[in-house]
Amino acid sequence: MFELQCLQAVIIAVLVLLPVLSAAQDQKVLIDNERLSNESLFWGPYRPNLYFGVRPRVPKSLLAGLLWAKVDNYESVQHNFRHTCEQHEGMAGYGWDEYDVRYGGRQTIHDAGNQIDITTEFVKIPGGQHGGSWGVRVKGTPREDAPPHLMSTVIFYAAMEGFGTIGMANDEEELGYEGTVTLEGHSNDLGDFKIDITAGPDTNEHPPRHHDSYGSKPLDRTLVASFQAPEEAIWQTKCMSLIYAECKLFKGLKMWLTYRPTVALLFSHMKSEIDGYIAKYGNADSPPPWQTFTIANDVRDGNVHLIQKVFDGAFEFDIIYSSGSATEPMTSDSITEGVKAATKSFEDRFSKVLSPQSPFNKPKYQDFARSMFSNLVGGIGYFHGDSVVDRSYAPEYEEENEGFWQETADARGRNQFALEGPSTLYTSIPSRPFFPRGFLWDEGFHLLPIADWDMALTLDIIKSWFSKMDDDGWIGREQILGAEARSKVPQEFQVQYPHYANPPTLFLVLETLIDKLKSGHEWTADPNDVFESTRSAHLRDPRLAISYLRDLYPLLKRHYFWFRKTQWGDIKSYDRDAYSTKEGYRWRGRTPQHILTSGLDDYPRAQPPHPGELHTDLISWMGLMTRSMRRIAETISEEDDAQEYMGYETAIVRNIDDLHWNEQHKTYCDATIDDYEESVHVCHKGYISIFPFLAGLLPSNSPRLQSILDLISDPEELWSDFGLRSLSKRDEFYGTGENYWRSPIWMNMNYLAVKSLLDISQTKCSNQKQARGIYIKLRKNLVENVFTQWQNTGFAWEQYSPETGAGQRTQHFTGWTSLVVKIMNMPDLKGRGRDEL
């Protein structure tokens, strides 16, 4: 009897603890999966502002990068050094041809200015306790217009931030180093490691002896210089601030060297060598420039090491990082095999998850799509540093008075900002040369294609973004972390304000996760992808996804209610007739010319600004965000919260019509207050007018849908042969002012339009046929134009001209313009009958 009672007690205890044990097991599985994922993501080209720069996902650690230049004359050298990605630097295009963040890939840099194409083949080999090993094969191929003897110098550098050591392992060689140069180092995060810089194959040629100076510095050897740099200056191997050093060069020339921090350090070092040559040889017997612009072969203790090679013609060499805790060292053969494996894996996976569909299933489009996606994931970076924030919470920032924009300008002018942090962020970026940092509203669009490729990576990035949230629920819309990031941003845009919002696009990605969980798709293992189970772990085992969402949910909830509290719009004060007196919204951060916080910067709004404004795009974003929160709450069984969000969602959708639909203009409009204290619409047809449709808040049976489709398809309004215009061709402000969002075609908004059109095209309704026709044409126009511009210029662009289709503004804009890959992957509905839909 006693044994039975004991057994019953044990059963009861197990039943009571079962949910706890199950939750604990789920958490352990989640932690184990994160560990496996982190190991394959530890290293990468996570310095995307450089043409090639490597670092681990830990702060204050090893930094490595590559510089090169053509050195055939004295006058042009200052303009020839490449390091940081820059616009209009003589490139005929550059970027990743194929790249997977877990394996590696191949990048080609078409450096027309230096008459050479540089290829970097980067691979990672997992193993050990410190993130594994990596290697990069660097190749230089003279372009067709290059001279028979193209003299190029290439400099690899490795630097250690923070606590850690790095130094030369080779015995000292006074004239330079033959064969492989080896660096050795140690840090707590990396353990023991070594970096081998190989001599390369026998086909490499070096400048022959042309001058007596060759005897003391033969250029068929590798030169190594070491020095100790302050930690805050290490990133300055090349930076944007201009430093000038007057060098009295040979033949009576004077030259001002313009250089940037690692090049500042480099040229500062070179200058002493140049001065030595001047003193020894004078003007009459000067060494050639490829001999002159070399570092001293001077190895000593230090935290920065420069390794220089000089080549005549084509060249190749390897840079090999081997972790001391790995079971086997990395070798050149490892790179060769790793590149083959990475290429095969990438091709197989791309054809499986992102392959272009008809009519874009031709080889030329395949290469284009692979490149666009590769540059999106190849732009993922790891950032660490402090940020500038104004937490004065000045009352003017409430923007409640008429003329508020003048008051807020005065408040900003008081410069009540301070440095906060440091903190870290793992994120993709909009553009390597111009926007090499995290942007909140861009990131949600970036992650949509990445979610198809690697959901675990996507969720890791989302988690990193939400780790930036403060106690109130605010996330800075632009993450400018550290002095290096700030060097790329005008001072007036560096300060972040905790009352400024940004479109909550990360919720688009969380909805994608839920859609995939509910799709019923059976996930099968890919024998050619060893990381397949890691990438799709949250989809294979929904418990992991639910556990992830449950952990993230308190932050999501805090962020959501921060939006409701800080971006509310005034309905009651102006007797506005609406279903709800609470669901109206207004962007803070308004000036007469811009609402930068909306993301649509100079799109025409009410004039002058008024605290009684209501913004169509913001209430639409709130509707999307609320729908997402409801679906997340349902997924993690937060039923009471789900009911609460359902109420908000219903009210927002009703209020979009009540507050923003203008029957006369047959479109959605912002609202403001006129001189008689009456609420009136301000209608500027364009992206704002169709935002409820873009956000997926307009059901297929909506009586407004016909007018929206007519507006989209009208060539005198939004339609063009290259995509949807941001502003109607008939609008008085079309193409005026800075013309940022006043006519150009933007891929992120067009993607939302194509997606909504596809949804309606696949739903039986009265507008199905019209939506299908628009979908087919718009999809084709967008893809053809972005492809054509990429083919003609070598770049993806920030925006496109609605008149000519030409790429405009920022080049190498491989952030949300990469959504063209998602559009190409959408189904071809041409020729399908009604029954097939």
Side-chain angles (χ1 to χ4, degrees):
M1 186 68 168
F2 175 74
E3 292 178 354
L4 182 59
Q5 289 175 334
C6 288
L7 180 60
Q8 288 175 328
V10 170
I11 293 173
I12 292 171
V14 169
L15 290 174
V16 169
L17 291 174
L18 192 58
V20 178
L21 290 172
S22 178
Q25 289 170 346
D26 290 350
Q27 190 67 18
K28 183 180 183 303
V29 173
L30 183 65
I31 291 171
D32 288 344
N33 185 73
E34 286 184 353
R35 178 181 56 79
L36 293 171
S37 183
N38 287 337
E39 287 177 359
S40 59
L41 298 175
F42 186 75
W43 285 102
Y46 293 147
R47 306 177 70 198
N49 58 312
L50 308 184
Y51 288 113
F52 183 78
V54 180
R55 67 166 300 153
R57 289 207 309 174
V58 290
K60 296 193 175 185
S61 188
L62 181 69
L63 302 178
L66 199 67
L67 301 91
W68 70 90
K70 178 176 67 174
V71 282
D72 59 351
N73 66 78
Y74 299 115
E75 291 79 5
S76 66
V77 169
Q78 63 170 327
H79 305 295
N80 291 349
F81 269 93
R82 308 291 190 244
H83 180 234
T84 54
C85 299
E86 304 292 343
Q87 292 212 105
H88 315 301
E89 197 176 41
M91 294 291 174
Y94 63 90
W96 295 93
D97 304 310
E98 56 190 38
Y99 180 74
D100 183 339
V101 71
R102 298 189 190 273
Y103 282 99
R106 182 183 65 252
Q107 177 183 218
T108 305
I109 303 164
H110 301 286
D111 189 352
N114 278 321
Q115 298 176 294
I116 195 165
D117 290 340
I118 300 290
T119 301
T120 59
E121 294 175 320
F122 175 76
V123 294
K124 300 191 287 186
I125 306 295
Q129 291 79 52
H130 300 95
S133 304
W134 56 266
V136 58
R137 179 158 294 156
V138 181
K139 299 179 182 178
T141 306
R143 293 171 63 85
E144 289 184 358
D145 64 343
H149 293 279
L150 178 67
M151 303 300 182
S152 303
T153 188
V154 184
I155 298 173
F156 169 75
Y157 67 89
M160 180 65 73
E161 289 185 310
F163 296 106
T165 60
I166 186 169
M168 276 286 288
N170 301 60
D171 293 333
E172 185 175 353
E173 297 186 34
E174 184 179 352
L175 298 181
Y177 294 84
E178 297 181 296
T180 296
V181 170
T182 300
L183 301 174
E184 292 180 336
H186 174 88
S187 75
N188 289 337
D189 291 311
L190 305 181
D192 294 328
F193 65 87
K194 70 172 184 173
I195 304 175
D196 293 324
I197 301 93
T198 69
D202 293 338
T203 53
N204 285 346
E205 295 187 3
H206 306 276
R209 181 178 185 130
H210 278 286
H211 191 268
D212 286 347
S213 58
Y214 191 95
S216 59
K217 194 188 284 187
L219 298 184
D220 59 351
R221 299 192 177 202
T222 300
L223 306 175
V224 182
S226 312
F227 50 88
Q228 186 72 28
E231 184 178 307
E232 64 274 11
I234 288 177
W235 68 269
Q236 298 180 7
T237 312
K238 190 176 192 230
C239 85
M240 295 302 296
S241 58
L242 300 181
I243 304 173
Y244 302 95
E246 184 179 18
C247 298
K248 297 178 180 177
L249 294 178
F250 313 107
K251 302 181 178 63
L253 293 174
K254 278 192 176 183
M255 176 178 177
W256 288 86
L257 297 179
T258 305
Y259 51 88
R260 305 164 185 157
T262 297
V263 170
L265 297 175
L266 169 64
F267 278 4
S268 176
H269 176 88
M270 280 184 176
K271 184 178 183 298
S272 63
E273 293 294 288
I274 293 171
D275 289 343
Y277 284 141
I278 294 172
K280 186 172 182 177
Y281 298 107
N283 292 334
D285 187 25
S286 58
W290 51 86
Q291 185 81 49
T292 301
F293 290 95
T294 52
I295 61 178
N297 189 58
D298 183 17
V299 176
R300 59 182 70 184
D301 291 338
N303 60 354
V304 179
H305 302 272
L306 306 176
I307 296 92
Q308 183 176 25
K309 297 175 180 288
V310 185
F311 297 102
D312 179 350
F315 60 84
E316 175 184 319
F317 65 96
D318 295 339
I319 302 163
I320 303 170
Y321 173 96
S322 295
S323 171
S325 63
T327 54
E328 295 181 2
M330 188 90 168
T331 66
S332 289
D333 288 341
S334 303
I335 295 179
T336 301
E337 295 304 313
V339 169
K340 291 179 182 177
T343 296
K344 179 68 165 62
S345 172
F346 181 87
E347 290 177 350
D348 289 348
R349 183 158 187 81
F350 197 86
S351 64
K352 176 183 175 182
V353 300
L354 285 172
S355 184
Q357 303 301 301
S358 179
F360 309 114
N361 51 349
K362 300 178 178 65
K364 65 177 182 178
Y365 295 115
Q366 294 278 354
D367 292 343
F368 165 61
R370 289 171 182 166
S371 176
M372 289 293 292
F373 177 75
S374 295
N375 282 289
L376 172 63
V377 292
I380 292 174
Y382 179 85
F383 303 92
H384 173 78
D386 49 22
S387 54
V388 185
V389 181
D390 179 348
R391 289 195 183 273
S392 63
Y393 297 103
E396 295 93 332
Y397 291 153
E398 296 294 330
E399 301 183 12
E400 292 181 346
N401 302 321
E402 294 187 30
F404 63 81
W405 64 93
Q406 296 166 330
E407 297 174 351
T408 56
D410 292 340
R412 288 194 299 271
R414 294 196 288 268
N415 295 326
Q416 295 176 294
F417 53 79
L419 290 176
E420 293 189 357
S423 61
T424 62
L425 180 67
Y426 187 54
T427 183
S428 56
I429 62 171
S431 168
R432 288 169 66 184
F434 204 72
F435 298 113
R437 54 193 177 276
F439 287 79
L440 181 56
W441 96 288
D442 293 62
E443 190 63 3
F445 291 111
H446 297 169
L447 293 178
L448 290 171
I450 296 175
D452 291 337
W453 183 267
D454 193 321
M455 182 58 76
L457 168 65
T458 302
L459 298 181
D460 198 7
I461 291 175
I462 290 176
K463 186 177 180 180
S464 182
W465 269 98
F466 277 97
S467 74
K468 299 292 298 173
M469 183 186 297
D470 70 6
D471 291 341
D472 295 324
W474 171 74
I475 302 174
R477 66 189 187 91
E478 190 170 346
Q479 296 294 321
I480 312 168
L481 304 182
E484 182 175 10
R486 285 194 289 276
S487 71
K488 280 276 193 178
V489 184
Q491 188 171 359
E492 62 269 25
F493 296 117
Q494 292 180 10
V495 182
Q496 301 297 296
Y497 298 89
H499 61 292
Y500 284 178
N502 218 202
T505 57
L506 294 177
F507 287 84
L508 286 168
V509 192
L510 294 173
E511 281 204 292
T512 296
L513 170 63
I514 294 172
D515 288 341
K516 290 180 181 293
L517 291 174
K518 295 183 180 299
S519 68
H521 178 75
E522 292 187 9
W523 299 92
T524 56
D526 183 348
N528 297 316
D529 185 358
V530 298
F531 296 116
E532 168 64 24
S533 59
T534 300
R535 300 182 200 273
S536 60
H538 299 82
L539 305 176
R540 292 173 176 274
D541 186 351
R543 295 176 304 168
L544 292 179
I546 292 170
S547 182
Y548 173 90
L549 290 172
R550 194 171 282 132
D551 287 347
L552 194 64
Y553 184 67
L555 296 178
L556 300 176
K557 195 172 180 179
R558 189 194 308 170
H559 192 48
Y560 175 77
F561 283 102
W562 175 86
F563 258 94
R564 293 182 64 86
K565 179 181 178 181
T566 62
Q567 309 300 303
W568 66 279
D570 192 346
I571 298 176
K572 292 182 181 180
S573 299
Y574 303 102
D575 292 329
R576 284 166 161 151
D577 187 15
Y579 173 83
S580 168
T581 59
K582 296 180 179 178
E583 300 303 332
Y585 295 91
R586 173 171 65 96
W587 294 109
R588 302 312 194 264
R590 173 92 152 92
T591 70
Q593 293 78 31
H594 298 99
I595 306 183
L596 298 179
T597 50
S598 74
L600 306 184
D601 298 17
D602 67 333
Y603 192 99
R605 306 280 186 162
Q607 294 295 339
H610 194 282
E613 287 180 27
L614 299 175
H615 297 135
T616 307
D617 52 331
L618 182 50
I619 193 174
S620 301
W621 283 120
M622 289 304 299
L624 183 151
M625 193 183 193
T626 305
R627 181 185 66 209
S628 300
M629 289 298 291
R630 170 183 57 78
R631 297 185 67 194
I632 293 167
E634 291 170 349
T635 302
I636 63 175
S637 302
E638 291 286 347
E639 299 299 338
D640 290 343
D641 283 2
Q643 283 299 115
E644 181 180 357
Y645 296 131
M646 176 77 79
Y648 297 148
E649 184 181 357
T650 299
I652 287 172
V653 171
R654 291 283 297 271
N655 271 20
I656 286 174
D657 277 357
D658 291 348
L659 295 171
H660 293 283
W661 179 257
N662 185 287
E663 188 60 32
Q664 178 184 350
H665 293 282
K666 298 292 183 183
T667 194
Y668 291 100
C669 307
D670 284 347
T672 190
I673 304 302
D674 66 14
D675 293 339
Y676 303 100
E677 293 294 298
E678 297 289 336
S679 180
V680 294
H681 284 141
V682 178
C683 298
H684 293 284
K685 292 181 179 179
Y687 290 162
I688 295 290
S689 310
I690 62 173
F691 231 94
F693 171 76
L694 299 178
L697 300 174
L698 214 59
S700 59
N701 61 355
S702 169
R704 321 294 190 199
L705 181 57
Q706 177 72 58
S707 298
I708 296 298
L709 296 179
D710 290 344
L711 175 61
I712 287 173
S713 58
D714 187 343
E716 295 303 312
E717 299 277 14
L718 304 191
W719 187 265
S720 84
D721 291 339
F722 313 105
L724 300 184
R725 312 170 195 269
S726 46
L727 189 64
S728 169
K729 196 174 179 180
R730 289 196 176 107
D731 194 275
E732 61 179 309
F733 294 108
Y734 182 80
T736 62
E738 64 186 87
N739 192 26
Y740 200 42
W741 291 85
R742 293 189 174 192
S743 76
I745 296 162
W746 292 82
M747 187 55 63
N748 59 336
M749 296 292 104
N750 274 269
Y751 165 77
L752 293 178
V754 173
K755 182 179 183 300
S756 292
L757 286 166
L758 176 60
D759 291 342
I760 296 169
S761 299
Q762 295 177 320
T763 304
K764 289 190 178 298
C765 63
S766 59
N767 300 111
Q768 182 184 27
K769 183 178 180 180
Q770 183 184 14
R772 176 175 165 272
I774 299 172
Y775 164 82
I776 293 169
K777 293 178 182 177
L778 181 59
R779 176 174 176 260
K780 185 175 186 298
N781 288 351
L782 289 166
V783 173
E784 288 285 6
N785 187 61
V786 177
F787 169 73
T788 299
Q789 296 303 312
W790 176 79
Q791 198 172 43
N792 291 344
T793 68
F795 295 106
W797 294 84
E798 182 180 11
Q799 55 178 224
Y800 296 87
S801 166
E803 274 68 51
T804 66
Q808 299 180 163
R809 301 277 181 164
T810 304
Q811 64 179 203
H812 202 77
F813 197 91
T814 52
W816 63 40
T817 300
S818 297
L819 285 166
V820 69
V821 177
K822 285 279 288 181
I823 295 173
M824 296 170 80
N825 186 239
M826 290 178 179
D828 179 20
L829 301 186
K830 189 174 183 179
R832 294 192 184 184
R834 176 180 293 272
D835 291 342
E836 296 180 65
L837 301 175

